Amino acid sequence: MLEGYIQEIFSSFQGEGAAVEGSCYGLRQIFLRFAGCPIALGIHGTNGCIWCDSPLAWSAKPKKCLVEIQAGKQSFEEKNNPVTSKEVLDIVKKLETKDLHSISLTGGEPLYQPKFLEDVIERLKENKYQIFLETAYTDKLELLKKIANKIDFACVDIKDRSANASIQWEMLVKEEIQMCEILKEAGTKIFAKSVITSSSKKENFEIIAKLCGEINIPLVVQLVTPKMDTKISQPSWRQIQEFTEIAAKYLPSDKIGISVQMHKFINIL
Ligand code: SF4
């Protein structure tokens, strides 16, 4: 039986996305937050995205996994890591609610633990759960090809240059677009999301929008959640419109949207 490292498992609502195909925005999910983030660990020569809101998930092998005791209670018990895929399935069953839409595989980076991820997906599909994948890990294209037909919904995080996720930004974006293509070809309902700050540049966003347009996948402008201890701030209203209007040069209007991190505003998990 395969085992791996999970940071947290809890029930909540998907807080990111927009009214575009592939998004599960506002739908009830159980979140499996996989441990370890290769971008934060330096695979692209940087120390992770400057606006990252989940530094706890960077650790590849945390000793403990936090598990919500009962769906919606927001209180947790600790479980020793690593956990088996069977244990993960049992927790998912325990946290299942009548309004559950899908299981969100997020992180950190779910693709960072390939064999464990495959096993978890296998068990979830055997039990008829729908799967939503959130990823930005471009080094695992072969794995993605293998699992893509089991992923119902997906969000590929296309890093804006200002995120500082890679020293070779244009190459990273092209690889992220390849991930979108793989998922789309497998029949996954997929959208791309790009986190935008007040210092994001229109010319960089245009590169992303053009590539999304070439494969005709929705593009969501995700407004960064400002961090109190940094200078990172949200784009202005005018900037937001400029970005969505740039996207409209390459995509129809029903494939463009904006998103804020809803769970931060209403103070839920
Ligand atoms: S890829 Fe995600 S978890 Fe990793 S540093 Fe960027 S935002 Fe944080």
Side-chain angles (χ1 to χ4, degrees), residues 4-12 30-33 62-84 86-96 116 269:
Y5 291 80
I6 301 264
Q7 191 75 40
E8 291 175 314
I9 306 179
F10 58 91
S11 164
S12 187
I30 293 170
F31 292 77
L32 305 183
R33 196 179 279 286
K63 287 198 173 70
K64 303 283 179 189
C65 164
L66 292 177
V67 177
E68 196 177 24
I69 295 166
Q70 195 186 330
K73 291 287 177 209
Q74 304 202 37
S75 56
F76 289 80
E77 63 187 357
E78 288 184 342
K79 211 169 173 28
N80 287 333
N81 266 323
V83 291
T84 66
K86 161 86 169 58
E87 285 174 307
V88 172
L89 176 67
D90 290 344
I91 296 167
V92 165
K93 285 182 175 169
K94 201 176 143 202
L95 292 179
E96 186 171 344
F116 177 52
L269 289 170

Side-chain angles (χ1 to χ4, degrees), residues 37 39-40 48-49 51-54 57-58 107-108 136 157 159:
C37 169
I39 291 180
C49 311
W51 37 256
C52 181
D53 63 351
S54 50
W58 293 3
D157 199 355
K159 304 294 182 187

Side-chain angles (χ1 to χ4, degrees), residues 76-268:
F76 289 80
E77 63 187 357
E78 288 184 342
K79 211 169 173 28
N80 287 333
N81 266 323
V83 291
T84 66
S85 44
K86 161 86 169 58
E87 285 174 307
V88 172
L89 176 67
D90 290 344
I91 296 167
V92 165
K93 285 182 175 169
K94 201 176 143 202
L95 292 179
E96 186 171 344
T97 52
K98 286 198 172 114
D99 57 352
L100 179 70
H101 175 264
S102 46
I103 311 300
S104 175
L105 309 180
T106 183
E109 173 53 67
L111 269 60
Y112 189 54
Q113 300 180 70
K115 292 209 158 47
F116 177 52
L117 176 69
E118 269 188 87
D119 204 37
V120 168
I121 290 175
E122 201 63 53
R123 284 178 189 274
L124 292 172
K125 292 315 281 184
E126 275 168 18
N127 285 272
K128 311 274 181 263
Y129 290 107
Q130 296 199 99
I131 293 182
F132 175 86
L133 174 71
E134 182 160 14
T135 181
Y137 190 18
T138 57
D139 281 17
K140 293 287 175 192
L141 297 186
E142 288 310 310
L143 168 67
L144 195 62
K145 283 180 193 160
K146 228 166 131 188
I147 61 171
N149 65 352
K150 300 193 176 80
I151 309 295
D152 303 281
F153 308 91
C155 169
V156 174
D157 199 355
I158 313 256
K159 304 294 182 187
D160 176 52
R161 193 191 285 268
S162 69
N164 196 37
S166 174
I167 50 173
Q168 290 185 294
W169 175 73
E170 293 201 18
M171 189 189 288
L172 175 66
V173 170
K174 282 190 184 138
E175 288 170 353
E176 287 163 345
I177 292 290
Q178 257 181 288
M179 296 176 81
C180 296
E181 273 182 294
I182 291 168
L183 287 157
K184 189 178 176 198
E185 274 167 24
T188 305
K189 292 186 170 65
I190 153 109
F191 73 102
K193 167 188 91 176
S194 193
V195 178
I196 296 301
T197 73
S198 59
S199 48
S200 296
K201 300 266 184 297
K202 286 186 277 183
E203 59 269 28
N204 294 329
F205 184 77
E206 182 140 8
I207 291 171
I208 294 173
K210 187 166 184 290
L211 290 167
C212 288
E214 282 169 10
I215 56 171
N216 199 25
I217 55 155
L219 175 58
V220 169
V221 175
Q222 169 92 33
L223 314 189
V224 74
T225 302
K227 286 171 91 177
M228 302 306 275
D229 54 340
T230 66
K231 290 198 176 118
I232 296 164
S233 57
Q234 278 188 342
S236 67
W237 177 219
R238 183 63 213 138
Q239 280 178 298
I240 295 165
Q241 293 171 76
E242 283 169 351
F243 286 123
T244 53
E245 285 166 23
I246 287 169
K249 286 162 72 175
Y250 306 100
L251 288 161
S253 55
D254 62 352
K255 288 198 158 126
I256 303 164
I258 65 166
S259 167
V260 289
Q261 288 186 304
M262 174 254 277
H263 46 291
K264 297 260 165 84
F265 283 89
I266 59 174
N267 201 23
I268 60 170

Side-chain angles (χ1 to χ4, degrees), residues 23-41:
S23 167
C24 293
Y25 181 70
L27 298 175
R28 190 83 184 251
Q29 292 186 324
I30 293 170
F31 292 77
L32 305 183
R33 196 179 279 286
F34 286 70
C37 169
I39 291 180
L41 295 173

